[in-house]
Amino acid sequence: MSLKLGLIGCSNVAKKNLFLYLENNTNYDLWIIGSRSSKIASEWANNYGAKHFGTYEDVLNSGVDVVYISLPIGLHEEWCLKAAKKNINIICEKSLTTSFSSTKRILDECSKNKVRILEAFSFRFHPQHKKFKELTSEHSKKVFNFYGNYGMPPFPKNDIRWNKDLGGGVLNDVACYPICASRIFFESEPEYVYSHMEIDADHHVDVKVDVMAKFSQGEVAYLSAGFNHYYQSKYSVWTDNMKLELARAYAVPPTFKTKIILDKDDEILDFEIDKINQFAIMFDSFHDVLKRKVKTFNFEIDIIEQARFMEAVRISHKEKRLVKITEIN
């Protein structure tokens, strides 16, 4: 049985991913598209087959089962809270919000109204991460370091990523990915976090973030992200017997074959992973959790632990010190 889906925010991410997914899918019925612009909402509804269009409020009052929030990060809290109060399940683009306290407010409201919420890190649904873990276990006894890198060339100065009030900056937009990837790989949370950020003097947002995080078994994650970089979207591990690298870890187009590179005993082996739509798997998984009661990772616990790590990064940079993760409550 399909779920009525509403879209809040006519973003490039939604245009690129959502409608391609919905073309050949019966899990969701695109019920309504909401925008600040009535003209854009009408055009998108006509172009992509939505039954209705209107404002953000119209979406929440339309009887939808699920809302996909694809707005600037600084607006996520407001519309997540409003959706939760209407008893609407939520898929919200990453990062969910801009602080740990904001995250707790959203999760409290969702819990109170018995709605589910998923932070849309679609990359984590790609099967390459499972294969990466299997290869690590097969070829290693001890993992020492995790390295996660995500960087890209500069965006135009009118891009929302430069707008501090809208939640801009590299931590919320980009560094969140390798942070999430390190947690997925180690299947645990860090004990200590140390970070440094470079702040743009004109826009007052972070443009480079470097993080060192120590995990419970002594493993260390080194994470780096930036806006003014040569493009990279990868992670790797260094173990007792090898180095293993995932060449395209985060933004993976559905037509893109990925590759895992194993460096062991002076031999390089490539493992190709076939193309797959990770955004589609994410939406299908959310549907199955709601309608079929399929068990997967706990969305809400994952959200709070991701937010805790992110907050430790902010505090470490601001106070120039090592932050113990249990400080964040």
Side-chain angles (χ1 to χ4, degrees), residues 6-8 56-57 59-71 75-92 96 105-106 109-118 286:
L7 171 64
I8 290 183
Y56 301 161
E57 292 283 1
V59 173
L60 299 185
N61 291 324
S62 67
V64 293
D65 303 300
V66 178
V67 63
Y68 173 42
I69 297 175
S70 189
L71 295 170
L75 302 179
H76 286 176
E77 180 183 355
E78 175 186 357
W79 292 100
C80 283
L81 290 175
K82 288 181 176 180
K85 290 174 181 177
K86 294 280 188 177
N87 303 108
I88 301 170
N89 298 291
I90 303 162
I91 299 175
C92 183
L96 178 64
R105 284 192 291 273
I106 292 171
E109 196 65 43
C110 288
S111 176
K112 183 167 68 175
N113 292 282
K114 296 181 172 56
V115 302
R116 301 303 306 274
I117 181 169
L118 172 67
F286 195 68

Side-chain angles (χ1 to χ4, degrees), residues 30-293:
L30 183 57
W31 194 250
I32 184 169
I33 292 176
S35 172
R36 292 177 300 170
S37 163
S38 178
K39 181 174 182 292
I40 292 174
S42 175
E43 289 175 354
W44 277 44
N46 289 331
N47 290 341
Y48 302 117
K51 294 177 174 57
H52 308 280
F53 68 90
T55 65
Y56 301 161
E57 292 283 1
D58 291 334
V59 173
L60 299 185
N61 291 324
S62 67
V64 293
D65 303 300
V66 178
V67 63
Y68 173 42
I69 297 175
S70 189
L71 295 170
I73 296 165
L75 302 179
H76 286 176
E77 180 183 355
E78 175 186 357
W79 292 100
C80 283
L81 290 175
K82 288 181 176 180
K85 290 174 181 177
K86 294 280 188 177
N87 303 108
I88 301 170
N89 298 291
I90 303 162
I91 299 175
C92 183
E93 267 304 325
K94 56 76 211 165
S95 288
L96 178 64
T97 185
T98 58
S99 70
F100 186 71
S101 59
S102 175
T103 301
K104 288 199 296 183
R105 284 192 291 273
I106 292 171
L107 292 179
D108 286 347
E109 196 65 43
C110 288
S111 176
K112 183 167 68 175
N113 292 282
K114 296 181 172 56
V115 302
R116 301 303 306 274
I117 181 169
L118 172 67
E119 188 172 18
F121 282 111
S122 64
F123 86 93
R124 70 180 303 153
F125 292 86
H126 199 293
Q128 64 179 341
H129 306 290
K130 180 180 178 182
K131 179 65 175 178
F132 191 93
K133 286 279 289 184
E134 290 172 351
L135 288 169
T136 303
S137 298
E138 181 181 344
H139 293 275
S140 306
K141 294 180 180 177
K142 173 66 176 177
V143 175
F144 297 112
N145 296 330
F146 177 100
Y147 302 91
N149 301 302
Y150 199 8
M152 52 202 66
F155 296 98
K157 294 301 182 181
N158 62 348
D159 191 281
I160 60 171
R161 294 171 178 87
W162 296 102
N163 189 321
K164 185 178 178 66
D165 293 336
L166 292 179
V170 74
L171 175 63
N172 294 331
D173 187 64
V174 178
C176 54
Y177 282 93
I179 285 173
C180 185
S182 71
R183 297 177 48 250
I184 294 169
F185 177 79
F186 288 126
E187 297 180 1
S188 65
E189 309 304 327
E191 291 186 334
Y192 297 94
V193 173
Y194 184 80
S195 72
H196 173 72
M197 300 186 194
E198 291 183 11
I199 308 298
D200 181 82
D202 296 324
H203 297 86
H204 309 293
V205 298
D206 47 296
V207 294
K208 189 176 189 304
V209 177
D210 292 289
V211 178
M212 182 179 72
K214 178 186 173 296
F215 286 76
S216 61
Q217 300 302 312
E219 316 97 326
V220 177
Y222 297 94
L223 314 170
S224 187
F227 282 161
N228 303 313
H229 287 53
Y230 173 73
Y231 185 83
Q232 282 195 87
S233 172
K234 62 175 60 177
Y235 66 71
S236 64
V237 294
W238 185 14
T239 80
D240 54 347
N241 288 320
M242 62 155 194
K243 178 186 175 185
L244 194 66
E245 180 177 293
L246 187 54
R248 186 69 174 260
Y250 312 118
V252 183
T255 57
F256 196 93
K257 292 183 178 181
T258 59
K259 184 168 60 176
I260 300 173
I261 305 164
L262 172 64
D263 182 347
K264 181 180 180 183
D265 298 330
D266 296 323
E267 184 179 10
I268 306 295
L269 298 176
D270 291 349
F271 298 85
E272 189 173 79
I273 313 296
D274 203 5
K275 58 187 179 182
I276 198 165
N277 190 331
Q278 61 188 30
F279 188 91
I281 299 173
M282 176 181 70
F283 262 75
D284 285 344
S285 297
F286 195 68
H287 169 274
D288 290 348
V289 166
L290 295 180
K291 296 299 292 182
R292 300 176 185 170
K293 307 305 178 185

